[in-house]
């Protein structure tokens, strides 16, 4: 039998230790490189943090697999067994430019089912965490089940990119939603935006393309508070592939899907 309590405890202690190292790095100079485009940044701390987790996991749980953004883990093509899905720094642009609004995100899955989700807001020292069937918390505080709310009373997390000309969605689709909502926000860290939906600070989060490490932990948190996440087409999310994301309170998710996204 898998000892999830032990896995959860180790994961939390490693996340806090990694966060400590990241905070200490503010006093040193960063090495910054670009990846797919000039705005797609990666630093030595992204890489070192991923390698830190991999060495800990390999030592303690050599049979587990690891899927990490910076590519030091395994080449994961199926959901079999236990997989740690890791984003060592989610919101690297914020980490570099703002020294805040970034998180460590870890989702641990067993045969495709999310079991443990951790999102650590490093600078605020706030750990959002959930274990399947046991509720979600921010530090020691339980997160409340999300009640219903209409678009007109909702704050929607969305990047302004998606209401300008872009390759993935006609801006005319999302503009009416942005106009109908009480307000919009963009934080630049998908993991934190998921944590904010789970904790009620945002009512919905919309984005057109995320990788597994961006949403792995967030999906587990959201499930524990009765929220709903699908692709923008209302389809189930492929946990080891790229997906568009509509994450929201139940009810609001349905309203957005039916009233704004499914109009033909
Ligand atoms: P990252 O910082 O780990 O790369 C920024 O809007 C959010 O989208 C962040 O969570 C960021 O994660 C994520 N993201 C996904 N793909 C990205 C890309 N190609 N370039 C920059 N950010 C990306
Ligand atoms: Ca990145
Ligand atoms: Ca990310
Ligand atoms: Ca990252």
């Amino acid at each position: 039998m898998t000892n999830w309590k032990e896995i959860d405890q180790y994961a939390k202690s490693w996340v806090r230790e990694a966060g400590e190292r990241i905070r200490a790095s503010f006093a040193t100079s960063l090495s910054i490189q670009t990846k797919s485009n000039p705005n797609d940044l990666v630093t030595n701390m992204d890489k070192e943090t991923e390698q830190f987790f991999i060495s800990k996991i390999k030592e303690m749980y050599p049979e587990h697999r690891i899927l990490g953004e910076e590519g030091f883990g395994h080449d994961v093509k199926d959901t079999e067994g236990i997989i740690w899905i890791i984003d060592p720094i989610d919101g690297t642009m914020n980490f570099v430019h703002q020294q805040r609004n970034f998180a460590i995100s870890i989702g641990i899955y067993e045969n495709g089912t999310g079991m443990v989700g951790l999102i650590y807001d490093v600078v605020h020292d706030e750990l959002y965490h959930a274990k399947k069937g046991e509720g979600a918390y921010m530090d020691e505080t339980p997160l409340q089940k999300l009640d219903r709310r209409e678009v007109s009373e909702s704050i929607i997390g969305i990047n302004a990119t998606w209401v300008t000309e872009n390759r993935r969605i006609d801006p005319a689709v999302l503009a009416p939603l942005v106009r109908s909502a009480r307000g919009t926000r963009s934080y630049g860290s998908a993991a934190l935006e998921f944590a904010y939906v789970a904790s009620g600070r945002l009512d919905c989060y919309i984005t057109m393309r995320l990788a597994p490490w961006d949403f792995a932990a967030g999906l587990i948190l959201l499930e524990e508070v009765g929220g709903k996440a699908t692709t923008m087409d209302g389809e189930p999310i492929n946990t080891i592939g790229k997906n568009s994301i509509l994450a929201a309170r139940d009810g609001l998710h349905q309203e957005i899907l039916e009233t704004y996204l499914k109009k033909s």
Side-chain angles (χ1 to χ4, degrees), residues 221-241:
L221 280 160
L222 196 60
E223 165 119 14
E224 287 303 312
V225 292
K228 199 163 177 199
T230 64
T231 70
M232 290 283 279
D233 301 319
E235 301 293 331
I237 290 164
N238 168 8
T239 56
I240 55 166

Side-chain angles (χ1 to χ4, degrees), residues 35 40-41 69-70 92:
K35 293 167 79 176
D40 185 3
L41 309 178
E69 181 184 5
E70 307 312 336
T92 298

Side-chain angles (χ1 to χ4, degrees), residues 30 212 217 226:
L30 277 180

Side-chain angles (χ1 to χ4, degrees), residues 13-28 30 44-45 48-53 55-56 89 95 102 104 120 122:
S13 75
W14 296 338
V15 161
R16 290 188 185 281
E17 191 178 339
E20 185 71 50
R21 287 165 178 240
I22 293 171
R23 286 191 295 268
S25 80
F26 288 144
T28 68
L30 277 180
N44 56 305
M45 285 313 293
E48 286 169 30
T49 303
E50 182 164 315
Q51 283 164 326
F52 166 82
F53 285 119
S55 70
K56 294 288 186 191
I89 298 182
F95 171 60
F102 63 89
I104 297 170
Y120 185 44
V122 172

Side-chain angles (χ1 to χ4, degrees), residues 12-23 26 99-104 119-129 137-141 192 196 201:
K12 282 176 177 153
S13 75
W14 296 338
V15 161
R16 290 188 185 281
E17 191 178 339
E20 185 71 50
R21 287 165 178 240
I22 293 171
R23 286 191 295 268
F26 288 144
Q99 291 84 50
R100 67 190 67 198
N101 300 324
F102 63 89
I104 297 170
I119 296 174
Y120 185 44
D121 180 336
V122 172
V123 171
H124 294 112
D125 184 27
E126 289 175 344
L127 180 62
Y128 298 85
H129 55 103
Y137 295 79
M138 190 198 77
D139 293 332
E140 307 300 319
T141 309
L192 284 180
Y196 292 169
R201 295 178 185 174

